[in-house]
């Protein structure tokens, strides 16, 4: 060989040696730099049991399960078919490589550079890195760290330990961390009992556990299972007969966690936040079980009342706002394109996503995301007047094409007789129901759909409007007025403030009962002015209102201008219902953990004559609720609010439910921007709120009576079904007088405009000589003296 060629060869050899040396030195330097950053084996060797937070109704039905489940297993529990399915798919040279598979890395890098998908380069050791470290790193730095981590794992653990760690660590979808939890969640069995088909199915979900699992997409899961089985066949791990048998196996997976019986997501979030404030991240892992105060049946009724009520009583009445979008048909495969558009779109409330596929004269067909085609007849769309403004919906549709076109992305709902055109309401609302005897929250709905918007409107302060008026009138009763006291409904001015009545008229002198019954604004402001804020606001504070923030010089407080929570409002009305006892709302009955048993049990204050007699053998104590107002004042307030329901602004309640034990008050603010109704009997108080999250006028025709009242009726009609009528017991020191209901003056028997009115005994007018003896009501018989008295 010529000397020149030898010299060139020598230089190439030296360069190659230098290159290899450089690579080794860089690799060593990188390892020395990264080694201190790697987690020690103690941090990942032992995988701990994780049990999610589970939240129940008071009668033991599941509301929600928050967090993932992990049931660690031992290597001996892993069936060989599961090991084979995993290795054949994720890491075929698992038993031969030292933690990093150079061949796979080179293949993966070449595929990345060339744009061809040739498979990933990560071994199971390397995949463990993303589960046990480097969560905050960017993707490139994490990949760089995976290699030394994989080598460390290989050095510190046996192959069997690595395989067990991997299967205990990876996420399998549906809230299952690790194969132990996954076997239970999907199949209800131990890992050792998994069949070949089930093992291949479990391995098939690993690259995309949320989207690829057999619950989320069974058809896709079957295709992916076949790929894993074929990998096993190619590696000689199974024979053709086993392959065919497993490939034909039906999908038997079914959810065995988060089988929610009573959806109450706003309650679940309140519970989650309460526990997180106390226990931090342990909230989701330590197996806490929370029993709430929620009555399952009442919660289901509340869910229906709010969702249906917002749709029917408000949204449909204001017209159809049109489709969300339009997707022209793909001439080659229109259904495939439409299904792809529908796939990521969730349902909200009653409203399912759909795309219009055909429009006839007075009907149309639509495609659901499930692939089902439905028919919407004319009766399901004739409501769809074109929305113009909150005050106008016009014109009405004459044909189906006036409302929808082919390709329109719309919402539909399943009605009692047929499918209907729908839309997700842009209005929001809330309902909260409470037991006046002890503050137990029985049902709570914080909005139309928690997935649509997570704001809990039960806890969001808004102006209550006339819903606050009873506490002005109650303050008057406490300070010497009676329900028959007269207040002037006439023009009233203080500075620049001049209140007006909703009807834009004045009635002159009227009784307090009449003023509250008809929700007259001007008499209420005049009464507030006569009493003074120094009397009204301390009285209101006794019911739980945070009046410290109320302006003392603002007369609009009388008309409910200051923000309060619906939860505050239902608590206040509960005090009226229970005879004047202050109770506090509560929603957690008991907290338990798997390790420590009972951690907390509620001990609410109660309305009871002898609370000591209720103490039970478990040691639970019952604490008496404090009496904050004279029970006679509470009784007369009950009576006045009964008049509202019988013949005042809430008379729809009496017409539709027809019970003799219901009282309540509507509320409507300026605009109107907020609509309220709070009502009760002795056993249950419920407040309904309706309004936009960003306050804006709801439409000039709207009042508390048009939307909030019918929602309240729909709920309470179910809540009271089969229950006996029950009202506050008449306290000592109440007497009756026959009065003229227009003037409030004493009347004589036979006067055509007379009613019996309630008075505190020391404030009652002396009866006329010609008046009959004072009438006492037989409460056991429930006989009514007048349609305008409470009992």
């Amino acid at each position: 060989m010529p000397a020149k060629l030898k010299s060139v060869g020598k230089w190439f050899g030296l360069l190659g040696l230098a290159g290899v040396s450089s690579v080794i030195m860089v690799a060593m330097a990188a390892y020395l730099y990264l080694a201190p950053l790697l987690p020690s084996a103690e941090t990942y060797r032992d995988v701990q049991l994780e049990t999610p937070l589970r939240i129940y109704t008071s009668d033991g039905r599941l509301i929600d399960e928050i967090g993932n489940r992990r049931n660690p297993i031992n290597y001996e529990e892993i069936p060989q078919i599961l090991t084979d399915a995993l290795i054949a798919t994720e890491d075929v040279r698992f038993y031969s490589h030292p933690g990093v598979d150079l061949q796979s890395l080179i293949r993966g890098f070449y595929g990345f550079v060339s744009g061809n998908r040739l498979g990933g380069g990560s071994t199971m050791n390397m995949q463990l890195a993303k589960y046990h470290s480097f969560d905050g790193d960017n993707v490139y730095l994490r990949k760089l760290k995976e290699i030394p981590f994989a080598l460390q794992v290989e050095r510190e653990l046996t192959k069997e330990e690595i395989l067990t760690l991997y299967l205990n660590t990876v996420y399998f979808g549906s809230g299952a961390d690790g194969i132990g939890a996954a076997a239970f969640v999907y199949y209800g069995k131990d890992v050792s009992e998994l069949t070949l088909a089930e093992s291949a199915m479990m391995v098939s979900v690993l690259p995309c556990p949320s989207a690829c699992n057999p619950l989320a997409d069974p058809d896709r899961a079957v295709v992916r299972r076949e790929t894993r089985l074929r990998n096993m066949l190619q590696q000689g791990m199974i024979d053709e007969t086993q392959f065919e048998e497993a490939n034909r196996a039906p999908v038997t997976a079914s959810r065995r966690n988060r089988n929610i019986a009573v959806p109450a997501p706003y309650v679940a979030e309140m519970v989650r936040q309460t526990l997180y404030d106390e226990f931090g991240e342990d909230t989701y892992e330590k197996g806490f079980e929370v029993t709430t105060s929620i009555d399952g049946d009442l919660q289901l009724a509340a869910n229906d009342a709010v969702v249906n009520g917002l749709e029917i009583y408000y949204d449909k009445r204001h017209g159809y706002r049109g489709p969300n979008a339009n997707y022209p048909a793909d001439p080659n495969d229109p259904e495939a394109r439409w299904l792809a558009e529908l796939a990521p779109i969730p349902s909200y409330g009653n409203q399912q996503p759909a795309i219009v596929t055909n429009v006839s004269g007075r009907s149309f067909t639509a495609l659901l995301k499930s692939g089902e085609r439905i028919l919407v007849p004319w009766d399901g769309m004739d409501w769809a007047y074109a929305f113009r403004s909150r005050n106008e919906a016009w014109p009405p549709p004459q044909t189906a094409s006036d409302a929808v076109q082919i390709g329109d992305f719309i919402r539909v709902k399943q009605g009692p007789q047929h499918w209907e055109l729908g839309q997700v309401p842009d209005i929001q609302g809330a309902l909260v129901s409470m037991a006046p005897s002890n503050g137990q929250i029985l049902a709570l709905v914080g909005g139309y759909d928690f997935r649509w918007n997570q704001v809990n409107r039960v806890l969001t302060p808004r102006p209550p409007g006339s819903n606050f008026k009873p506490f002005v009138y109650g303050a008057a009763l406490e300070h010497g007025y009676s329900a028959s006291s007269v207040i002037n409904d006439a023009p009233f001015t203080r500075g620049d403030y001049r209140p007006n009545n909703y009807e834009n008229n004045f009635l002159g002198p009227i009784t307090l009962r009449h003023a509250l019954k008809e929700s007259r604004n001007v008499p209420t402001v005049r009464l507030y002015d006569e009493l003074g804020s120094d009397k009204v606001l301390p009285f209101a504070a006794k019911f739980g209102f945070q009046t410290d923030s109320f302006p003392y010089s603002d007369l609009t407080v009388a008309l409910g201008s200051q923000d309060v929570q619906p939860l505050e409002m239902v608590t206040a009305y509960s005090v009226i219902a229970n005879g004047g006892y202050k109770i506090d709302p509560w929603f957690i009955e008991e907290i338990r953990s798997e390790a420590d048993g009972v951690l907390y049990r509620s001990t609410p204050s109660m309305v009871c004559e002898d609370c000591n007699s209720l103490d039970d053998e478990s040691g639970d104590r019952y604490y008496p609720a404090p009496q904050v107002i004279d029970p006679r004042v509470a009784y007369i307030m009950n009576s006045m609010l009964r008049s509202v329901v019988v013949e005042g602004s809430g008379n729809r309640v009496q017409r539709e439910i027809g019970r003799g034990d219901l009282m309540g008050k509507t509320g409507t603010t300026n605009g109107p921007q907020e609509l309220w109704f709070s009502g009760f009997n002795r056993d249950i108080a419920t407040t309904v709120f309706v309004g936009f999250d960003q306050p804006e006028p709801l439409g000039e025709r709207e009042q508390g009576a048009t939307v909030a009242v019918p929602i309240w009726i729909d709920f309470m009609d179910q809540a009271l079904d089969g229950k006996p009528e029950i009202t506050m017991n008449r306290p000592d020191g109440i007497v009756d007088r026959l009065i003229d209901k227009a003037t409030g003056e004493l009347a004589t028997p036979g006067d055509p405009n007379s009613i019996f009115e309630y008075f505190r005994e020391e404030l009652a007018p002396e009866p006329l000589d010609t008046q009959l003896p004072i009438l006492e009501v037989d409460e056991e018989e429930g006989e009514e003296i007048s349609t305008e008295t409470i009992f």
Side-chain angles (χ1 to χ4, degrees), residues 457-463 563-566 568 676:
R457 294 152 194 88
V458 167
L459 305 178
T460 303
R462 296 289 289 269
D563 290 352
V564 300
Q565 298 174 338
E568 289 180 88
W676 296 71

Side-chain angles (χ1 to χ4, degrees), residues 77-348:
E77 300 175 64
I78 306 172
Q80 188 62 44
I81 50 176
L82 177 61
T83 301
D84 290 345
L86 180 65
I87 290 174
T89 301
E90 295 296 324
D91 195 350
V92 72
R93 281 178 289 278
F94 172 72
Y95 285 111
S96 60
H97 65 63
V100 176
D101 189 344
L102 291 177
Q103 183 177 335
S104 295
L105 278 176
I106 294 171
R107 185 186 68 240
F109 178 75
Y110 177 77
F112 173 76
V113 172
S114 65
N116 298 317
R117 298 187 61 181
L118 301 176
S122 295
T123 62
M124 283 193 283
N125 299 46
M126 294 171 68
Q127 291 177 45
L128 284 170
K130 68 180 180 181
Y131 291 101
H132 290 281
S133 189
F134 323 135
D135 289 340
D137 294 338
N138 64 55
V139 63
Y140 302 107
L141 184 57
R142 189 177 71 244
K143 284 292 183 184
L144 183 62
K145 289 181 178 180
E146 282 180 5
I147 294 176
F149 179 81
L151 296 172
Q152 174 179 297
V153 169
E154 189 74 18
R155 186 175 65 253
E156 294 179 336
L157 303 179
T158 67
K159 289 291 187 182
E160 291 75 16
E161 288 174 329
I162 294 171
L163 188 68
T164 305
L165 176 62
Y166 184 91
L167 284 171
N168 277 331
T169 300
V170 293
Y171 181 55
F172 285 86
S174 299
D177 277 325
I179 189 62
F184 168 77
V185 167
Y186 290 105
Y187 299 109
K189 57 175 64 174
D190 292 334
V191 176
S192 59
E193 300 172 319
L194 291 176
T195 66
L196 172 59
E198 292 165 348
S199 298
M201 182 69 82
M202 288 293 86
V203 172
S204 76
V205 309
L206 293 180
C208 48
S210 297
C212 301
N213 72 70
L215 302 181
D217 193 338
D219 293 337
R220 184 180 184 185
V222 167
V223 174
R224 296 179 61 82
R225 180 185 67 182
E226 180 180 357
T227 302
R228 275 61 188 171
L229 290 169
R230 199 168 295 281
N231 290 341
M232 296 176 72
L233 181 63
Q234 291 171 352
Q235 295 297 320
M237 297 171 172
I238 58 174
D239 58 31
E240 190 69 36
T241 300
Q242 291 173 303
F243 169 82
E244 293 294 342
E245 182 180 350
N247 198 37
R248 289 195 304 268
V251 176
T252 58
S254 62
R255 184 182 295 277
R256 289 169 176 82
N257 68 332
R258 296 199 79 248
N259 289 320
I260 294 174
V262 180
Y266 293 95
V267 176
E269 175 58 17
M270 292 166 66
V271 171
R272 185 202 68 79
Q273 188 61 58
T274 300
L275 266 69
Y276 188 84
D277 290 344
E278 181 70 23
F279 302 108
E281 292 297 323
D282 284 350
T283 299
Y284 314 121
E285 301 173 354
K286 298 302 182 183
F288 292 113
E289 293 190 349
V290 178
T291 300
T292 68
S293 62
I294 298 299
D295 180 293
D297 291 338
L298 295 186
Q299 182 65 40
L300 293 173
N303 293 343
D304 289 343
V306 172
V307 170
N308 292 325
L310 294 177
E311 292 175 1
I312 297 169
Y313 302 127
Y314 183 85
D315 198 62
K316 278 190 172 183
R317 291 173 47 238
H318 287 265
Y320 182 53
R321 296 185 297 277
N324 299 87
N326 184 276
Y327 300 111
D330 184 329
N332 296 320
D333 192 350
E335 183 167 318
R337 189 269 169 99
W338 286 334
L339 286 174
E341 297 288 354
L342 289 170
I345 307 298
S347 297
Y348 293 117

Side-chain angles (χ1 to χ4, degrees), residues 26 30 46 50 56 80 122-123 269 395 433 447 452 513 556 577 690:
V26 169
D46 295 322
E50 293 179 12
Y56 297 92
Q80 188 62 44
S122 295
T123 62
E269 175 58 17
S433 192
W452 177 256
R513 179 182 292 276
T556 66
V690 175

